[in-house]
Amino acid sequence: MYLKHLILRNFRNHKETDFHFSALVNLIYGNNGQGKTSVLEAIYFLSTGRSFRTHNLSDLIREGQQYFYLEAHFIKDELPQKLQIYYDETTKRIQYNHTNYPKLANIIGILPSILSHPNDLALIIGMPNERRRFLDIYLSQADPLYLHHLSRYYKAMKQRNYALRSQEIQTLSAWEHIMLPSALYLIDKRAELSSYLLDPAAEWLSLLSNKKDLLDIHYQSSLTKKDSSLLLKWEKNRHKDMLLKATTLGPHRDDLLFLLSGKQAKNFSSEGQKRSLIYALKLAQWNWMQKKIGYSPLLCIDDFGMQLDPKRQENLIFCFTRFKQVFICSANVLKSKLPDTTRSFWMERGAIL
């Protein structure tokens, strides 16, 4: 799979911008605030139905305009395909080839991508929900059943929480039995992905750090995967949960632990080590997703090389030779370091110059 043509209309500071991409490395560069990151945001939006910078779709509309429109032409399964999204604050129109979709969630998995951007630092130093989101986004793109169970679990848990607040003890068991199969599925798939990521992420990190950093990853679940244990723990915790008016155990409370040379990366690693770890995790996710879906997802990197020393930047560039289509945003001109086949786009005020 590769993205051939991307059209942005009134998206962020892009009035009318058309990109014709290389099937290999694409560099989008220019000064700060010129619309580079918005290109990756558009690709991510077409992949997931959401932005990685805002929860408010109106923020994506160009100032002074009433709508935004995205259109992607790509090759998938050796066939030309098209995905279109229109939004005008009251109406969403989503079309994949000749099929209309009612919700943005329906497009997940159509144009899979892996994104690395500066805010990913929260994956290492942030709260556990950042690490759960890291797992959920990519599992949902590769496994529609995971997205189903994710939605089902949170809807049932919401009802259980309502019952806790309302002191409706008699309904708790029913909601717990609905939560159970979805909780098991989420825990199993998250643990499976975490286990898979370890070897390739450790390999990528070793390459980036010249074998200086040794990685270990642990998925920390608040529950075991045995049915009886799940139900018993929820039942045992009902009094506590009723006092707190919330479900205190479940996959919504799980976490990932990253260790570098035996120490928690969150507390004992440098900024460069943290950034290297993030890149290693993203590259390992690309490996995992390619294996799961059977073709190459897009790889997008914003603010390339941020807080990496020159040697680690050079090592990261070398990694690109192992991937298919790559999109890089940078405020620094990297053309001399990138492969000769790289296609470059200089951005200025939301336009390609």
Side-chain angles (χ1 to χ4, degrees):
M1 182 190 78
Y2 75 94
L3 178 59
K4 291 180 63 179
H5 184 196
L6 177 65
I7 299 171
L8 285 67
R9 298 288 182 269
N10 295 329
F11 186 84
R12 291 291 191 180
N13 62 341
H14 292 262
K15 182 180 180 181
E16 296 183 8
T17 314
D18 290 20
F19 293 89
H20 294 270
F21 293 120
S22 161
L24 299 174
V25 179
N26 297 273
L27 171 64
I28 303 158
Y29 67 114
N31 297 322
N32 292 327
Q34 303 305 309
K36 303 185 302 298
T37 297
S38 299
V39 181
L40 299 192
E41 186 178 20
I43 294 173
Y44 186 83
F45 194 89
L46 289 158
S47 293
T48 65
R50 63 174 68 183
S51 163
F52 61 84
R53 300 161 82 188
T54 180
H55 296 293
N56 187 356
L57 292 185
S58 298
D59 293 342
L60 304 178
I61 300 175
R62 188 168 180 262
E63 187 176 352
Q65 301 301 312
Q66 285 75 48
Y67 74 95
F68 76 76
Y69 173 77
L70 299 174
E71 182 177 318
H73 296 257
F74 53 102
I75 301 297
K76 183 176 178 181
D77 299 326
E78 299 183 355
L79 296 172
Q81 307 198 30
K82 181 167 70 171
L83 178 60
Q84 301 163 276
I85 299 175
Y86 169 91
Y87 175 73
D88 66 4
E89 299 199 71
T90 57
T91 304
K92 294 189 192 83
R93 289 202 292 270
I94 307 148
Q95 187 176 65
Y96 174 43
N97 295 330
H98 300 292
T99 302
N100 293 315
Y101 287 153
K103 297 184 296 183
L104 286 167
N106 296 131
I107 69 174
I108 295 176
I110 291 175
L111 189 67
S113 68
I114 301 293
L115 170 72
S116 177
H117 63 95
N119 292 342
D120 284 335
L121 189 59
L123 179 60
I124 309 299
I125 66 173
M127 300 298 289
N129 66 298
E130 298 288 349
R131 292 177 282 281
R132 291 193 296 269
R133 187 182 298 117
F134 165 76
L135 297 172
D136 291 342
I137 287 174
Y138 295 104
L139 282 164
S140 296
Q141 288 191 70
D143 181 1
L145 191 56
Y146 185 89
L147 183 61
H148 163 75
H149 281 295
L150 187 66
S151 175
R152 180 183 171 89
Y153 176 80
Y154 275 96
K155 285 179 181 178
M157 186 183 67
K158 183 178 180 181
Q159 292 300 321
R160 184 181 188 271
N161 290 344
Y162 178 81
L164 290 169
R165 292 193 298 271
S166 304
Q167 305 286 303
E168 297 175 0
I169 302 175
Q170 68 278 7
T171 66
L172 292 177
S173 178
W175 294 120
E176 289 161 4
H177 277 82
I178 294 174
M179 291 163 63
L180 176 62
S182 293
L184 291 173
Y185 195 88
L186 299 182
I187 291 170
D188 184 58
K189 294 303 177 182
R190 286 176 179 176
E192 180 184 296
L193 173 56
S194 303
S195 177
Y196 176 87
L197 286 177
L198 176 57
D199 286 344
E203 182 182 339
W204 288 119
L205 185 60
S206 178
L207 191 156
L208 290 171
S209 67
N210 292 321
K211 301 183 179 180
K212 292 179 182 178
D213 297 329
L214 301 177
L215 173 66
D216 202 1
I217 301 174
H218 297 285
Y219 178 62
Q220 299 180 308
S221 177
S222 58
L223 299 168
T224 66
K225 293 187 284 184
K226 294 182 179 179
D227 296 23
S228 58
S229 178
L230 280 164
L231 290 174
L232 285 173
K233 283 190 174 183
W234 278 327
E235 184 177 353
K236 184 179 179 180
N237 269 39
R238 284 176 185 172
H239 179 69
K240 175 184 175 182
D241 288 355
M242 202 164 288
L243 291 174
L244 296 173
K245 300 180 181 180
T247 302
T248 56
L249 288 174
H252 64 291
R253 292 298 184 101
D254 293 351
D255 200 359
L256 270 180
L257 179 65
F258 301 113
L259 301 176
L260 288 182
S261 301
K263 296 182 179 180
Q264 282 200 43
K266 180 177 182 178
N267 301 319
F268 296 98
S269 57
S270 68
E271 292 302 306
Q273 286 177 311
K274 290 185 178 77
R275 292 292 176 184
S276 297
L277 173 54
I278 289 168
Y279 283 127
L281 289 168
K282 298 292 182 170
L283 300 182
Q285 273 194 320
W286 188 96
N287 294 133
W288 173 83
M289 189 176 290
Q290 183 190 43
K291 180 180 178 182
K292 291 289 290 185
I293 64 180
Y295 53 87
S296 300
L298 310 177
L299 178 61
C300 303
I301 298 179
D302 190 23
D303 271 359
F304 170 84
M306 185 177 186
Q307 293 180 320
L308 294 185
D309 60 46
K311 184 57 181 176
R312 291 191 185 225
Q313 287 192 33
E314 186 179 323
N315 292 341
L316 181 56
I317 290 172
F318 174 74
C319 293
F320 296 154
T321 61
R322 303 191 189 184
F323 295 87
K324 299 295 182 179
Q325 195 174 27
V326 180
F327 300 87
I328 303 167
C329 282
S330 177
N332 301 308
V333 179
L334 302 167
K335 293 172 70 175
S336 61
K337 298 181 180 180
L338 291 170
D340 293 338
T341 54
T342 299
R343 183 169 297 175
S344 302
F345 303 86
W346 173 264
M347 298 298 305
E348 192 169 309
R349 290 182 292 181
I352 303 169
L353 297 186

